[in-house]
Amino acid sequence: MRRNPWLRFFLSYLSVFLLLSASLSVTFLAVIGQNAGREAKNANQVYAQNVVKTFDSWLANIEQTVIRETSTNIQLQNFFNADLTDETYSHYLLYSRLRELFLTVSGIDSFYLYRTSDDRVLSDSHMTTLEDFKDNAFIKQFMANPGQSAWFPPRAYPQPSGITSQPVVSLTKGVPFGTASQGVIVINIPLYSLQDMLASISASDIHYAYLTAAQGDLFIAGEKREGDDLAAAASETTGWVLHSGLKNSKVGGLLSLLTNSWILVAVLIVLAGLALLFIVFRRNHRPIEAISNRIQHYIMKDQHALQGDQFAFIESAVERLIQESQLHEEQAAKEWRLKKRYLFRDLITGTQYIGQTEWKQELSKLGLPLDNHSYLAILIEMDHYAAFEEAYTEHDRLLLKFALQSVVQELADQYSFAVWIDWLSRDRLCNLVFLDEQERDTLPDTLRMCEELRAWVEQYLKFTVTVGFGDTVQNLSSIPQSYEAAMQMLDVKASAGHNRVITHETIADKPAYAIYDQLASIRTLSHHFRTGSREWETVYRAVFTSLKTGFPTRKMIVELADYLLHQFTDELSGLSGDATAAWGALLPRLHDSVNSFSTVEELEERLYRDLNSFFGEITQQREKHPQFHNLELFREYIEARLSDSNLSLNQISEHFELSPQHFSALFKELQGEKFVDYLIRVRMQKARVLLGSSNDSVQDIALQVGYTHSFSFIRVFKRITGFTPGEFRKNGDEEPL
């Protein structure tokens, strides 16, 4: 080597070249790490903003529901004006309406109404005064400043029992808005519901998220990590702040190391390389052998230095950066799918108020048709979904639902329809069909497509579906109208039947169902039940037969069933303590049947089974009474003397050698109604028979049923039947008492 100075010169500068190359590589790696860290922060910021936007949309939906109901519900306005003709029943209808409304909104646990005119509170259990209401401190706090924010941070909401409390977030709206001069509406959402909602919309294998109040207090925690937050986004609706960051802190630590320590190291290496270059220029006369000997001596002394060379380190770091980049791409794809789903829901339900142009821009990004189209919403609902969940594992359910969505897409392709398909809930799939100008007259094709889908699912999948067919609309902003029409079709599924395609033509030939026509029959039914008459079964079947003659909505069916249970509760409140307690134990089971039925037939049989069993129990209790055998004697004595105007409690008790008080209590316990009420009822029954079967005058009939004065008879008859004797004879009303 001493004889070849050029080789010595080349090797000397080669070492400098390699050193500078290594420093440039480390610098390049540091820059990549810095950019990757910046992109991670940007991705976290976008993620946090999307989660907050979705969270705000959910809360805004609840708030808009309250505002819309307050503005349009006449019963609610009458409540705050204290303008109720039948206060108890109006309160029941109002609470049923609000409960049905809020059941459609996920997360709401409880609500109550406060009226300032008389300091009364209508809650889920009863009507009470403000001072007796467990949550009166919160109402007073709000009334002290009715203009404050509608959303309150977490607080302890006392349970009706008064024993425990539950952490909730409350939405409070004054009536009228901004003043609360008439009252307040309070909606309570449990903290665990908010946490579940946050978990569902922020589910990510890469990011974590948690919420703090405006003051910085943590109240909904995800995987909070001190000092690792990369982004924060504030809610415009509540002022709460969502914090997010990366779950994998090792990658973040590596990037931080690269962007700080390694940049300094790279600068020092460059300076050292320049210094070495100068030294080489000065000392290029040193023998290459000496350098070689020193290198070999170092390698032999420390073998670990050879194994951990810089190029190996660069290779492993670049590989890690590539993996991190792939993770970011996967997260971006997930966020895009999530955004697409929320866009679909906003378009269908009309919850996001943007213009036609903005919607077309979004549809263009999805590759969907834009111009000269009409639109049709079709809802596909899986029948008996509770049984479906019990029968299959989560994996099998996902496969079957994927098969259903795929079949919908394939049928649309066969009919050359452009569609946008997505799940709106766990059991309901929405198919938005785009029809061009030439396809507006192809509604029969869409019906055939739906019928083919229904038949295919019934034949090849292990469940059935019911299809709700909406209306065709001409612009994007009217799509929610088509969706609402499809929803109305599914609302009558309980009465129209499952496993079918329901259109406007399906229900057009059915008369409109009037729920109020059945209220009198339900009162008669509950009276027969209380008095131990098997006639209750006949009236019960007649009520449900009327439900099947038309296509009432599920809401109507539930309201009628709730009224039936409410009427039974009122009627049975006068029975013995054991019977009342047994009814109270049975009532939750009956309410569960009302809330979970699939068809009218199923509801009819489930209620009948429980009511008939309870009827048998109270009948057995009556028959065990030592005086039960005398009940028929009491009835025969009364019926034999209906024409006696002097028939009274004293007369009959004296005949059976009992005191009036003892006989009255005994008769009510055995018959289920007071002696006076029973006497009036059987007299009116006989009067109705005489009015329908004879030509006797009203005065003669009054005498035959024990009334000496016809005007007294007419007054009682109209109070019981709703008609005067003359009107009854003319109309021929055969409704039983």
Side-chain angles (χ1 to χ4, degrees), residues 511-623:
Y513 185 78
I515 187 174
Y516 296 102
D517 294 344
Q518 301 301 320
L519 300 185
S521 297
I522 289 178
R523 290 192 292 269
T524 302
L525 161 64
S526 60
H527 179 79
H528 284 319
F529 193 93
R530 177 172 63 88
T531 57
S533 172
R534 276 288 174 183
E535 286 294 323
W536 77 269
E537 295 178 334
T538 303
V539 182
Y540 178 87
R541 296 298 184 188
V543 169
F544 276 91
T545 299
S546 71
L547 283 174
K548 302 169 190 175
T549 57
F551 282 158
T553 64
R554 181 183 181 86
K555 175 184 175 182
M556 291 182 178
I557 297 172
V558 170
E559 287 181 352
L560 190 66
D562 283 341
Y563 180 76
L564 184 147
L565 298 182
H566 175 74
Q567 191 65 29
F568 266 60
T569 301
D570 285 348
E571 285 283 350
L572 298 177
S573 61
L575 296 180
S576 64
D578 292 340
T580 304
W583 173 256
L586 177 62
L587 196 57
R589 176 184 174 91
L590 297 174
H591 279 299
D592 181 66
S593 297
V594 172
N595 294 328
S596 61
F597 73 95
S598 297
T599 63
V600 174
E601 291 78 7
E602 177 187 343
L603 176 63
E604 178 181 6
E605 293 308 318
R606 289 174 66 176
L607 291 182
Y608 176 79
R609 181 175 62 249
D610 292 334
L611 291 176
N612 189 49
S613 175
F614 181 74
F615 182 81
E617 292 178 10
I618 61 177
T619 301
Q620 289 180 0
Q621 290 180 10
R622 286 175 177 163
E623 292 176 351

Side-chain angles (χ1 to χ4, degrees), residues 643 686-705 710 713-714 717 724-730:
S643 61
K686 183 175 181 180
R688 293 173 69 159
V689 172
L690 293 173
L691 286 168
S693 61
S694 71
N695 295 322
D696 296 344
S697 65
V698 173
Q699 176 64 42
D700 291 339
I701 292 176
L703 292 173
Q704 293 178 55
V705 296
S710 60
F713 166 70
I714 294 172
F717 188 89
T724 65
E727 292 171 343
F728 179 86
R729 173 172 279 172
K730 180 179 179 181

Side-chain angles (χ1 to χ4, degrees), residues 58 80 99 142 168 207 292 297 325 493 531 628 653 733:
W58 177 59
F80 285 110
R99 183 184 64 182
F142 177 79
V168 298
H207 302 281
S292 177
H297 176 73
S325 177
K493 184 176 81 168
T531 57
F628 181 76
S653 61
D733 193 339

Side-chain angles (χ1 to χ4, degrees), residues 471-537:
D471 297 329
T472 303
V473 295
Q474 307 305 320
N475 52 67
L476 289 168
S477 60
S478 300
I479 288 178
Q481 299 175 10
S482 181
Y483 169 73
E484 288 294 333
M487 287 278 290
Q488 292 174 6
M489 297 303 100
L490 289 183
D491 281 344
V492 302
K493 184 176 81 168
S495 55
H498 293 177
N499 191 23
R500 65 181 302 175
V501 179
I502 304 176
T503 66
H504 285 290
E505 288 73 16
T506 306
I507 62 177
D509 57 343
K510 293 291 183 178
Y513 185 78
I515 187 174
Y516 296 102
D517 294 344
Q518 301 301 320
L519 300 185
S521 297
I522 289 178
R523 290 192 292 269
T524 302
L525 161 64
S526 60
H527 179 79
H528 284 319
F529 193 93
R530 177 172 63 88
T531 57
S533 172
R534 276 288 174 183
E535 286 294 323
W536 77 269
E537 295 178 334

Side-chain angles (χ1 to χ4, degrees), residues 636-650:
E636 291 176 356
Y637 184 87
I638 294 171
E639 292 175 2
R641 291 164 177 78
L642 285 181
S643 61
D644 184 2
S645 61
N646 295 319
L647 180 61
S648 64
L649 180 63
N650 291 331

Side-chain angles (χ1 to χ4, degrees), residues 200-218:
S200 66
I201 63 179
S202 64
S204 172
D205 296 331
I206 298 176
H207 302 281
Y208 68 86
Y210 63 92
L211 272 176
T212 61
Q215 297 78 10
D217 299 330
L218 173 69

